[in-house]
Amino acid sequence: MEIKNLFDPSVKQEIINRINTLHPDSQPQWGKMNVAQMLAHLQLPIAIAYGTHQPKGSFLLRLIGPLFKSKLWDDKPWKQGLPTDPTFITVGTRKEFEQEKATLLDLINRFSEATIVGEKHPIFGKMTKENWSK
């Protein structure tokens, strides 16, 4: 699996097109979230890059997170059932599909080197702008 880079305009458009194929009753490929919850969930990593979401993570996760940072953008698919920061969990919350879709599309459209505010991820440590884009 090739890791997409949001700085590439063709990749950005491909992701936007994929999001635009979703509808309120789209079925999940894996996991427990409905489509609106998934759209809300996907906003959070971008919000970390923008500096508007700051997960704390456990002490242990902050300690070992930097060791696993490269797994965020290697070419292997993520395994199902990996631990998720509690602030990323949207199962059990009611989300409105059109609003979550519009918010995610806005975050993706605005994503650029200029909108990334920090070099340090709260769990994974120092990251380059290219790391953030993946």
Side-chain angles (χ1 to χ4, degrees):
M1 171 177 88
E2 177 188 343
I3 299 299
K4 309 278 185 193
N5 181 327
L6 274 177
F7 293 155
D8 180 336
S10 66
V11 167
K12 187 180 282 192
Q13 190 59 53
E14 177 187 338
I15 292 169
I16 289 168
N17 292 346
R18 188 171 175 190
I19 292 167
N20 281 325
T21 67
L22 298 171
H23 47 83
D25 56 349
S26 293
Q27 294 301 304
Q29 304 266 325
W30 63 302
K32 299 175 184 173
M33 292 180 263
N34 65 37
V35 67
Q37 292 166 337
M38 181 267 307
L39 291 168
H41 173 81
L42 293 174
Q43 295 168 31
L44 297 169
I46 299 171
I48 292 174
Y50 288 166
T52 59
H53 182 70
Q54 290 292 320
K56 292 187 172 125
S58 69
F59 172 75
L60 179 61
L61 189 55
R62 287 191 315 272
L63 185 65
I64 65 171
L67 301 174
F68 294 97
K69 178 172 55 174
S70 65
K71 297 291 182 196
L72 296 173
W73 52 81
D74 72 11
D75 61 354
K76 295 179 184 143
W78 291 7
K79 294 179 183 177
Q80 292 186 22
L82 290 173
T84 303
D85 185 272
T87 64
F88 278 56
I89 296 174
T90 59
V91 172
T93 62
R94 179 141 170 78
K95 301 292 183 186
E96 199 279 308
F97 173 79
E98 292 297 337
Q99 176 60 49
E100 300 303 336
K101 180 179 170 182
T103 301
L104 180 58
L105 288 171
D106 177 63
L107 290 170
I108 291 170
N109 278 314
R110 290 188 298 115
F111 192 84
S112 69
E113 288 190 54
T115 59
I116 297 172
V117 299
E119 292 183 358
K120 187 171 181 185
H121 187 283
I123 306 300
F124 299 108
K126 186 171 173 59
M127 291 176 58
T128 66
K129 296 211 179 212
E130 186 171 334
N131 294 152
W132 282 108
S133 74
K134 295 179 179 180

